[in-house]
Amino acid sequence: MLSSVTKLAAWVLTGFLAILTIFFNMYLLLINQRNYRKSRKHRLNPADFIITAISLASISLQVLTYLWQTLDVIDTVCHISLAGAILLVLIYSVKFIIFWSTAFLTFYYGTKLVVEPVHCYTRIQEGIVKHVHTALAVIVVSGFANCVPLLSVLTYYNGTTSGLSDCGSIMPTDMTGLAYIFYYVIISDIVPGIVMVKCSISISYHLAKHLLDMKASTNGAHGPKLGTQMRVIKMTLSMVVVFIIFLIVDIFTQMTVVLMRQNTLALTVLFASIYTTVSAFVLVYGKKSYWKELIATYNLFLDEYPCLSSMKVEEVKTEPHEHSHGH
């Protein structure tokens, strides 16, 4: 059980994380909107379109998370427990959308960065990548379709039955409810995790092979350079590492709720906020042009306040061999 002090601390921390998440994701949205306007066909490339979807979902998750935690802290006698339950279902739905969209982004980069794809998968990959908009629409619909049944599993008020003070708690009272929770964890957490790990292994293997080939061709005279492509590879692998760490924590907290019957939902929601903040930072940092522009804007802002000049960040210089890689 979480004490009221712990819940309050989680609520305050979520508020701080929400500011960071909204800042980074709004920055991504603004950059992508500018790219959309500049493009001749007024279309975003698939990677930017997926990132836009992730950014919108991340902002939505933070808003829903903060509202749910506010209700959890304020409404101690559960007068508006149904509102809390609906918010919780929406949080789980948006979390599903973020996870699968992130896995889809990793899959997309995997198809673009792997030089020698496995031929039996090539046609399937090409088909999916050509229909990015449709694939994302399916992810969004699936997110809500898979999470709506949670309303039947939620116990709106456990205070009189099991001594739990939370209004909307995922505490299955029968085997059907328990089976559904396990199904949700597998479909929303584990399966996208497997997709991301598979893609990261493919990228890592082909990257290592490519670097060895380059080193052999130059007789080890100098280190191989991949420019912006290398940065995208690092970003993709970093996203997978962040996801796996969060996945372990998320499954553990969900199991404490379901199996150990300890209501730690506030922590589950807090960890989701931490994940959206870190993943948004990784997405901004992973694109060199985005990161460079953010640092330049930050330094320009500090120019207005000379007393803060010591907080300036050294700007990244673009090397001659680097060029836009279309990601």
Side-chain angles (χ1 to χ4, degrees):
M1 277 296 296
L2 298 175
S3 66
S4 55
V5 177
T6 307
K7 286 183 184 179
L8 184 63
W11 180 56
V12 171
L13 185 55
T14 302
F16 173 71
L17 291 167
I19 294 167
L20 287 175
T21 302
I22 291 170
F23 170 77
F24 284 121
N25 284 297
M26 281 301 296
Y27 176 72
L28 285 167
L29 288 174
L30 289 170
I31 294 288
N32 285 339
Q33 185 191 31
R34 190 183 67 191
N35 292 343
Y36 173 80
R37 285 180 176 177
K38 281 185 175 180
S39 66
R40 291 178 183 177
K41 295 181 180 179
H42 284 291
R43 289 182 68 181
L44 286 172
N45 67 56
D48 286 344
F49 186 79
I50 299 167
I51 289 170
T52 299
I54 293 171
S55 296
L56 288 169
S58 296
I59 292 170
S60 302
L61 181 68
Q62 284 291 7
V63 172
L64 291 167
T65 294
Y66 196 69
L67 286 173
W68 182 83
Q69 286 199 331
T70 303
L71 279 180
D72 196 41
V73 170
I74 294 171
D75 187 28
T76 53
V77 289
C78 302
H79 283 309
I80 45 177
S81 58
L82 182 59
I86 291 169
L87 279 173
L88 199 59
V89 170
L90 288 173
I91 286 167
Y92 273 80
S93 301
V94 176
K95 195 156 72 92
F96 179 102
I97 292 165
I98 291 171
F99 285 4
W100 270 103
S101 298
T102 307
F104 187 32
L105 183 64
T106 310
F107 172 83
Y108 172 79
Y109 279 139
T111 61
K112 294 296 178 184
L113 296 171
V114 173
V115 183
E116 299 170 11
V118 180
H119 294 291
C120 59
Y121 292 124
T122 306
R123 287 186 181 178
I124 300 169
Q125 288 175 340
E126 285 176 356
I128 294 170
V129 168
K130 279 181 183 176
H131 300 91
V132 170
H133 299 75
T134 307
L136 277 172
V138 169
I139 288 170
V140 172
V141 171
S142 299
F144 289 104
N146 279 290
C147 296
V148 165
L150 264 177
L151 278 171
S152 62
V153 176
L154 284 166
T155 47
Y156 299 120
Y157 183 48
N158 287 314
T160 54
T161 54
S162 57
L164 297 168
S165 59
D166 281 304
C167 307
S169 310
I170 302 173
M171 298 282 181
T173 52
D174 57 5
M175 287 306 293
T176 308
L178 193 63
Y180 170 73
I181 294 295
F182 277 106
Y183 162 78
Y184 172 81
V185 170
I186 290 167
I187 199 72
S188 72
D189 290 8
I190 295 171
V191 177
I194 291 169
V195 171
M196 291 183 79
V197 170
K198 186 264 173 194
C199 292
S200 66
I201 290 170
S202 297
I203 292 168
S204 301
Y205 171 76
H206 288 280
L207 170 65
K209 190 177 175 184
H210 181 62
L211 292 177
L212 285 171
D213 290 346
M214 284 183 72
K215 196 170 184 181
S217 66
T218 57
N219 296 317
H222 60 78
K225 294 179 179 180
L226 289 174
T228 52
Q229 190 180 27
M230 191 64 194
R231 198 175 179 99
V232 172
I233 290 168
K234 286 178 180 177
M235 177 187 77
T236 308
L237 297 179
S238 298
M239 282 170 59
V240 174
V241 171
V242 170
F243 182 86
I244 297 302
I245 292 169
F246 173 75
L247 180 65
I248 294 165
V249 174
D250 189 49
I251 290 175
F252 176 75
T253 50
Q254 290 198 50
M255 289 306 100
T256 59
V257 172
V258 176
L259 299 179
M260 302 177 194
R261 304 192 72 79
Q262 295 178 14
N263 207 336
T264 56
L265 278 176
L267 288 181
T268 304
V269 170
L270 174 62
F271 291 136
S273 293
I274 294 170
Y275 171 75
T276 53
T277 306
V278 176
S279 60
F281 174 80
V282 170
L283 283 172
V284 173
Y285 184 75
K287 291 201 162 197
K288 191 161 190 174
S289 59
Y290 288 17
W291 183 248
K292 186 181 176 183
E293 191 169 339
L294 180 63
I295 295 300
T297 308
Y298 170 76
N299 287 337
L300 277 173
F301 171 75
L302 291 183
D303 283 340
E304 298 294 319
Y305 304 95
C307 58
L308 300 176
S309 58
S310 60
M311 294 173 66
K312 278 192 174 185
V313 178
E314 188 179 345
E315 294 187 29
V316 183
K317 292 181 181 178
T318 307
E319 293 180 32
H321 71 274
E322 290 190 347
H323 59 276
S324 176
H325 199 262
H327 294 298

